[in-house]
Amino acid sequence: MSFRRGVVRQSKFRHVFAQAWKAEHCIDDVRVSRVTWDSPLCAVNPKFIAVIVESGGGGAFLVVPITKSGRIDQTCSTVCGHLAPVLDIQWCPHDDNIIASASEDNTVKVWQIPDGGLVGPMTEPLVTLEGHSKRVGILAWHPTAFNILLSAGCDNVMCVWDVGTGELVYQLSDAHPDLIYSACWNRDGSAVCTVSKDKALRVIDPRRGTVLKVREKVHDGTRPMRAVFLSDGKILTTGFSRMSERQMALWDTKDLTEPMAMQEMDTSNGVLMPFYDPDTNMVYLCGKGDCTIRYFEVTDESPYVHFLNLYSSKEPQRGAGYVSKRGLDVNKCEIARFYKVHERKIEPISMTVPRKSDLFQGDLYPDTAGLEPSLLAEEWIAGQDAPPLLVSLSGGYAVPPSKHRDTMRGRPKLASQDSGAGAPATAAAPTATPTAPAVARETEGETRGNSADGTGDRLKKEDDVLNEILAEMKALRTVVLAQSQRIEILERQLARIEDGDV
C-alpha cells in the first residue's frame, strides 16, 4: 500500500512552513564527531544543546546553553569522562540538567550539567553503569518513570537501569540474536519496540523479560533500520528494500502479518531517523547525508500516513537534534524545531503553522508531557504503569515546583558544580545522601507532630503561600528571559539598520 499525495485532505498541518534560522543564530566551528555509528550526534532540551565532538583521547561531547550562538572556541569545556568515543547521548525527560552518554568503552555514564552550562571540563559522572561487554550505542530514558534508563550494546544485550541507585534491574540477553539497531519505549513505558540486524521487529516487556510480538523481515534490505512507538500503540519503521530503496512502514501491533502502509521513497543510502511528535501525531524523517527533512501526519483514515511537505537545503546533514514542545515558541506557532548538524556547524530549523491571530492557538498545542514523572523507579519496577503527566503551554511553559523532587529515593547528588564535575559513583556503590530539603521536611514533620493543631495549620498555610510565591517567581523568570532574548534580537536588527546592512 502506498501513501497518496494528490488527494486534498483537511488538516491544520497541511501548510507547515519550515525555515532555517539566520546565520547569526547558528553555532559555528563545532568539531562534530566523525564516528561511523548511526546516531543523531545531537540531543536538545529546553535548556541545552549537546553535540558529540571529536576528542584527542577518549570520548567527549559539547554542552552549551540553547541560547548560545556564534563561534565555539576550541578551548571550550566539554564532558570528557569516557575512555573511547561517545556513540549516543540522551537528555533525561524529567530533569533538564541530567544527560546520559553511551560509549565504545562499554559503559553508560550519567552527568549533571550546571544551570549556566559547563564551567570547566567535566570528567566525573554522577554514576557509571557497567553491564555491557561490548560498546554501547543506544540509550532511551523511560517516558514516565523517574531514573529508569534503557541501554543496548553491540553484545546484543538490552539493559534497564535504576540510575538513582546504579542498579541493573533487568537484563535481556537472549531476546536478540544479532545487533540491535534501535529501541523505543511506548507511551506509558510498559513495553519496548526494537529492530535488529536479523531484520525483525520485536515488542518486548522488559520487566518480564519476554518478547510479546515478533515480525520477521520488516524490511528486506541489509542496511540499518529504525522503529518508533506511536501514541496509539502502532509502530512506524524505516529501513531499506532488497534493492536498497529507502522505505517507511506503519504497523499495527495487534496484527503484524502485513503493514498498514508501506512506501518506497528513494535510493539514498543514508539511514532515515524518525522523530515523532505525540501531540500532533506528526513524524519527521531526517536522513543521514540528506539535504531534506520530510514530514508526515499519521491519522486513522486510509492511507494512514499522509505526506505533508519537505524542507530542502543545499548542505547535507550529519545528524539532527529535536527539541521537546516545552522549548518551542508558542507565540510564533512553532510546532517543531530541529538542530541540523553540519560538518562544523549547528543550524536551527523551525517548523511553524502560519496563523494571523496573535492569540494562543490551542488546537496546535494540546497539553504535552511535562517534567514531572508519573512514577518513581521503584513503582515502575513493582509493576505499575502510568501515562505522562501533561501540562498546558498556554502563555508559555513555566516549570512548576516538583512534588517528587525531595522524595525520589537514591537520586544522585552533585557534590560540586564549581569544578564542573559531579561526585563519582559506580554500580557497586549506589549510596545517596539525603538532600537538605528532605532533612528540613523531616524536621518539620516532627515539629508538627509535637505541636498543637493551630500551629500545624499555620505552618501548612505558610508552606502553601511560599510554594505559590516560588511558582510565580519561576514563571516571571521565564517571561523575563524570553523578553531579554527578544530585546537582544531587536537590538541586533537595529544595529544592522544603522550600519546600512538592511
Side-chain angles (χ1 to χ4, degrees):
M1 185 182 297
S2 298
F3 304 133
R4 293 174 298 176
R5 298 192 183 187
V7 179
V8 177
R9 183 182 58 89
Q10 292 297 320
S11 171
K12 53 180 169 284
F13 302 116
R14 279 200 305 122
H15 303 292
V16 172
F17 176 66
Q19 185 174 32
W21 290 20
K22 293 183 179 180
E24 58 262 32
H25 300 303
C26 297
I27 303 176
D28 299 308
D29 284 350
V30 181
R31 296 178 295 117
V32 180
S33 173
R34 297 187 178 277
V35 67
T36 56
W37 188 258
D38 286 318
S39 75
L41 298 175
C42 180
V44 188
N45 69 14
K47 277 188 178 181
F48 299 105
I49 303 170
V51 186
I52 303 174
V53 295
E54 284 290 300
S55 176
F61 60 94
L62 176 74
V63 178
V64 296
I66 197 167
T67 54
K68 170 70 176 176
S69 61
R71 182 176 177 273
I72 295 292
D73 194 285
Q74 297 305 309
T75 61
C76 184
S77 299
T78 59
V79 180
C80 49
H82 282 285
L83 302 177
V86 176
L87 300 181
D88 195 16
I89 47 177
Q90 293 291 331
W91 289 104
C92 175
H94 305 125
D95 190 329
D96 285 340
N97 295 75
I98 300 295
I99 187 171
S101 59
S103 168
E104 287 188 1
D105 64 7
N106 305 349
T107 68
V108 174
K109 296 179 186 288
V110 180
W111 315 81
Q112 182 169 1
I113 308 300
D115 274 332
L118 298 178
V119 294
M122 182 174 282
T123 58
E124 296 295 336
L126 289 175
V127 62
T128 298
L129 307 174
E130 299 177 333
H132 290 279
S133 60
K134 292 185 179 180
R135 60 180 181 171
V136 188
I138 297 171
L139 294 173
W141 288 94
H142 194 285
T144 62
F146 190 76
N147 274 347
I148 295 296
L149 175 66
L150 179 147
S151 65
C154 294
D155 51 5
N156 308 337
V157 174
M158 195 166 71
C159 298
V160 179
W161 310 86
D162 181 348
V163 172
T165 63
E167 179 186 0
L168 175 59
V169 290
Y170 301 107
Q171 186 176 45
L172 287 81
S173 303
D174 304 323
H176 301 89
D178 215 329
L179 178 66
I180 303 170
Y181 283 143
S182 79
C184 178
W185 296 93
N186 65 352
R187 182 73 164 161
D188 64 1
S190 60
V192 177
C193 72
T194 66
V195 284
S196 58
K197 197 172 182 179
D198 64 353
K199 306 178 185 178
L201 167 67
R202 293 174 175 85
V203 180
I204 298 171
D205 183 340
R207 286 175 293 198
R208 290 192 297 169
T210 57
V211 179
L212 305 177
K213 301 268 186 176
V214 181
R215 172 59 164 86
E216 304 290 343
K217 288 192 176 182
V218 178
H219 298 280
D220 292 329
T222 57
R223 298 275 298 149
M225 299 183 292
R226 293 290 183 270
V228 290
F229 255 120
L230 307 188
S231 56
D232 60 359
K234 297 183 179 68
I235 297 175
L236 185 135
T237 62
T238 63
F240 293 80
S241 70
R242 189 178 288 107
M243 302 302 292
S244 296
E245 293 178 305
R246 294 196 293 191
Q247 297 177 322
M248 177 173 61
L250 183 67
W251 304 85
D252 187 347
T253 50
K254 298 175 183 176
D255 183 7
L256 293 175
T257 54
E258 292 292 334
M260 296 176 62
M262 171 79 77
Q263 181 186 17
E264 293 183 348
M265 308 181 77
D266 54 36
T267 54
S268 176
N269 61 0
V271 176
L272 281 172
M273 298 177 292
F275 296 91
Y276 174 63
D277 180 359
D279 302 328
T280 60
N281 237 25
M282 289 178 62
V283 176
Y284 303 85
L285 298 185
C286 301
K288 281 214 164 191
D290 287 8
C291 298
T292 60
I293 299 176
R294 297 176 174 89
Y295 35 105
F296 303 80
E297 184 180 5
V298 184
T299 68
D300 294 329
E301 61 185 61
S302 180
Y304 307 110
V305 181
H306 307 270
F307 175 79
L308 295 174
N309 209 336
L310 62 82
Y311 164 80
S312 182
S313 62
K314 295 180 181 179
E315 298 182 43
Q317 59 220 12
R318 297 201 51 218
Y322 178 68
V323 68
S324 71
K325 278 292 178 61
R326 295 183 293 108
L328 301 181
D329 188 345
V330 298
N331 297 316
K332 295 180 179 178
C333 296
E334 185 182 35
I335 62 168
R337 188 191 308 154
F338 289 88
Y339 286 80
K340 178 179 175 178
V341 179
H342 296 251
E343 285 291 335
R344 293 185 65 88
K345 182 175 75 171
I346 309 298
E347 178 186 35
I349 300 170
S350 287
M351 310 283 184
T352 57
V353 178
R355 292 285 172 91
K356 294 181 179 179
S357 173
D358 293 331
L359 300 176
F360 176 74
Q361 305 295 311
D363 62 324
L364 299 181
Y365 300 103
D367 290 352
T368 190
L371 275 176
E372 196 69 31
S374 306
L375 299 170
L376 301 180
E378 53 265 34
E379 294 173 333
W380 180 79
I381 293 170
Q384 295 186 41
D385 293 316
L389 296 179
L390 305 181
V391 296
S392 173
L393 296 178
S394 176
Y397 176 72
V399 180
S402 172
K403 63 183 179 181
H404 288 314
R405 200 64 70 196
D406 298 330
T407 60
M408 290 179 179
R409 178 178 58 81
R411 186 184 182 198
K413 182 184 177 184
L414 189 66
S416 173
Q417 293 185 352
D418 295 335
S419 63
T426 65
T431 57
T433 305
T435 60
V439 175
R441 190 165 293 184
E442 292 173 5
T443 305
E444 184 182 323
E446 294 174 2
T447 304
R448 290 182 183 178
N450 297 327
S451 63
D453 292 341
T455 305
D457 292 338
R458 181 174 57 81
L459 290 172
K460 185 176 185 302
K461 290 179 180 178
E462 291 177 356
D463 282 349
D464 293 339
V465 173
L466 179 60
N467 287 334
E468 290 177 3
I469 293 173
L470 289 173
E472 187 172 354
M473 287 176 62
K474 289 182 179 179
L476 288 172
R477 182 174 179 273
T478 302
V479 173
V480 170
L481 289 174
Q483 295 302 325
S484 297
Q485 296 171 17
R486 178 63 178 163
I487 291 172
E488 183 180 351
I489 293 171
L490 291 174
E491 287 176 343
R492 289 177 184 171
Q493 293 176 349
L494 180 61
R496 291 175 62 193
I497 292 172
E498 291 175 348
D499 294 340
D501 293 341
V502 177

